[in-house]
C-alpha cells in the first residue's frame, strides 16, 4: 500500500492545490460527534460556505470506504452527520479505519495529519482538545496537543474547550514548543466565552503577519503547527461565570456515569447543550463560522506569499 492508494483529494481541492490557490482544511468530528443531528449537517454546510465566501476552497476531511478523503461531496457530509457507526479518529486509529473500511470522522489531530499529507497549511475547527480537568488522576490529555507539536499546520480555534483545564493545556503547549497566538487579542479565549483570564503568549492582528510567522518557522526548520486562538464574536458569547456552572454540572454527571477517554468530550458538550437550553450550541456554531472566516483569510495570505 502506498499513500496514493489512500489519499483522495476531490477534483476541486486537487486543482486548487496544484494551482497554489487558497485551501482550508475542515474536520469532521465536530460534525459527527460534536454537534447533534440534524442541525450538524446545516452547520457543516455553513462552515464550507463561509470558507468559500472568504475566497478559499473548503476541504472537509474524513475516512470513507478505506480512503482518506480531502474535500467531501454533499452525500458524504450527510453520512457523517448521521454518524451511524462513524469512528472518532485520532493519530492512533486513523490507519485502522483506512485498513478496515470503517467510516471515520477526523479529530483535530487526525485532520492535521491529513492536511499535512495533502499540502494544506491552515485548518479551522471549533476548539481543540487539551488537558482534561482531573488529568493528574485520569491522565486524559487529548492527542491534539501532541499533534500540534508534530504536524506543520496552523489550527484556527476559539482557544481550547472551556471544559478542559486551560492553564494546564497552555503549559503543555508551551512544553511542546507550540506557538499559541491570540488573534487580535491578548487574552486566551475560552471557547463559549471571549476571555479565559489567561494571557495568550503571542498576539497577531492580521493574516499577512501570521503568514510571515509561518514562513519564518519553516525557514528555521522548527516543524510542528501553531494554534491561532480566535475569540467568539461578542454578540454570541456566553459569560464565563455562567459557563462555569454548566461545566461543573456536566463534569459531575460524567463522573457519576463513569464516562472515559474519547467519550468524555462529546458527553460534556451534549450535557452543556441541555443545561444551557440550546444556547451553547448557537455559540458553538457561531465560533466555528468565525474561525472558518479567519482561516480563509490566512489561506489567502499564505497563497499570496508563496
Ligand atoms: N470543536 C468543536 N466541537 C468538537 C471538536 C472541536 O466545536 O467536538 C472536536 C475536535 O475534533 C477535537 C475533539 O479534536 O473535539 C477533541 O476530542 P478529545 O477531547 O476527545 O481529544
Amino acid at each position: 500500500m502506498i499513500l496514493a492508494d489512500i489519499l483522495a483529494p476531490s477534483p476541486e481541492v486537487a486543482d486548487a492545490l496544484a494551482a497554489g490557490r487558497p485551501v482550508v482544511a475542515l474536520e469532521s468530528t465536530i460534525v459527527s460527534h460534536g454537534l447533534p443531528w440534524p442541525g450538524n449537517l446545516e452547520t457543516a454546510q455553513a462552515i464550507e460556505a463561509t470558507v468559500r465566501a472568504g475566497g478559499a476552497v473548503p476541504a472537509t476531511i474524513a475516512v470513507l470506504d478505506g480512503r482518506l478523503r480531502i474535500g467531501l461531496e454533499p452525500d458524504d457530509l450527510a453520512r457523517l452527520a448521521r454518524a451511524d457507526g462513524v469512528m472518532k479518529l485520532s493519530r492512533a486509529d486513523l490507519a485502522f479505519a483506512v485498513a478496515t473500511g470503517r467510516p471515520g470522522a477526523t479529530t483535530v489531530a487526525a485532520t492535521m495529519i491529513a492536511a499535512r499529507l495533502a499540502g494544506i497549511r491552515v485548518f479551522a475547527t471549533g476548539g481543540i482538545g487539551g488537558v482534561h480537568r482531573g488529568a493528574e488522576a485520569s491522565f486524559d490529555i487529548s492527542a491534539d496537543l501532541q499533534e500540534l507539536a508534530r504536524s506543520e499546520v496552523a489550527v484556527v480555534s476559539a482557544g481550547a474547550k472551556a471544559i478542559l483545564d486551560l492553564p494546564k493545556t497552555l503549559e503543555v503547549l508551551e512544553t511542546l514548543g507550540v506557538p499559541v497566538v491570540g488573534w487580535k487579542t491578548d487574552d486566551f479565549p475560552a471557547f463559549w466565552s471571549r476571555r479565559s483570564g489567561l494571557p495568550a503568549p503571542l498576539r497577531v492582528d492580521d493574516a499577512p503577519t501570521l503568514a510571515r510567522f509561518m514562513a519564518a518557522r519553516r525557514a528555521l526548520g522548527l516543524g510542528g503547527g501553531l494554534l491561532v486562538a480566535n475569540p467568539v464574536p461578542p454578540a454570541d458569547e456566553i459569560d464565563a461565570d455562567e459557563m462555569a456552572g454548566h461545566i461543573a454540572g456536566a463534569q459531575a454527571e460524567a463522573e457519576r456515569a463513569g464516562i472515559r477517554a474519547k467519550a468524555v468530550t462529546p458527553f460534556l458538550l451534549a450535557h452543556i447543550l441541555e443545561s444551557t437550553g440550546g444556547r451553547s450550541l448557537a455559540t458553538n456554531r457561531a465560533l466555528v463560522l468565525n474561525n472558518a472566516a479567519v482561516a480563509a483569510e490566512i489561506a489567502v495570505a499564505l497563497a499570496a506569499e508563496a
Side-chain angles (χ1 to χ4, degrees):
M1 207 185 300
I2 58 166
L3 181 60
D5 299 330
I6 301 171
L7 199 65
S10 70
E12 185 192 17
V13 169
D15 282 356
L17 288 171
R21 288 196 300 270
V23 178
V24 171
L26 299 167
E27 59 146 312
S28 44
T29 290
I30 182 171
V31 180
S32 54
H33 298 80
L35 301 167
W37 168 265
N40 57 350
L41 178 56
E42 186 277 331
T43 298
Q45 291 160 342
I47 299 169
E48 292 197 349
T50 302
V51 169
R52 286 189 199 283
V57 171
T60 305
I61 291 171
V63 176
L64 291 171
D65 308 313
R67 307 197 73 195
L68 183 51
R69 303 272 304 278
I70 318 285
L72 300 179
E73 302 303 325
D75 283 357
D76 302 324
L77 216 49
R79 186 171 159 197
L80 289 161
R82 280 196 192 85
D84 260 346
V86 174
M87 293 178 75
K88 174 179 166 184
L89 302 176
S90 192
R91 173 174 278 267
D93 40 21
L94 179 64
F96 180 83
V98 169
T100 60
R102 286 193 53 186
T106 51
T107 58
V108 167
T111 306
M112 288 184 77
I113 294 169
R116 190 190 59 75
L117 289 170
I120 303 172
R121 300 182 64 198
V122 57
F123 155 34
T125 181
I128 61 160
V131 181
H132 279 269
R133 298 180 190 195
E136 54 274 37
S138 68
F139 275 52
D140 189 349
I141 301 177
S142 176
D144 291 353
L145 299 184
Q146 194 70 258
E147 205 54 50
L148 276 159
R150 285 172 98 141
S151 290
E152 192 185 326
V153 178
V155 180
V156 184
S157 158
K161 294 194 199 73
I163 53 177
L164 302 167
D165 185 322
L166 294 182
K168 289 196 182 72
T169 299
L170 284 170
E171 281 298 336
V172 170
L173 286 168
E174 186 190 340
T175 302
L176 293 171
V178 177
V180 176
V181 177
W183 183 256
K184 302 181 183 176
T185 181
D186 294 314
D187 198 313
F188 188 66
F191 200 66
W192 298 282
S193 316
R194 288 178 58 80
R195 273 173 276 279
S196 64
L198 302 162
L202 300 168
R203 173 181 175 138
V204 168
D205 285 85
D206 59 88
T209 304
L210 194 87
R212 255 186 88 69
F213 181 25
M214 289 174 71
R217 282 180 52 76
R218 182 172 270 191
L220 289 166
L222 293 174
L226 58 82
L227 181 63
V228 178
N230 179 36
V232 63
D236 300 297
E237 88 164 319
I238 305 178
D239 181 74
D241 290 338
E242 184 193 335
M243 278 315 300
H246 297 299
I247 293 166
Q251 221 95 44
E253 195 50 48
E255 220 145 282
R256 240 192 317 273
I259 308 296
R260 294 274 176 277
K262 278 175 188 258
V264 172
T265 295
F267 180 93
L268 294 175
L269 292 178
H271 200 279
I272 290 167
L273 166 72
E274 232 173 83
S275 67
T276 58
R279 278 190 304 140
S280 67
L281 182 58
T283 299
N284 199 343
R285 183 181 189 279
L287 67 84
V288 184
L289 296 182
N290 190 39
N291 293 341
V294 169
E297 246 185 83
I298 294 168
V300 168
L302 283 167
E305 173 141 319

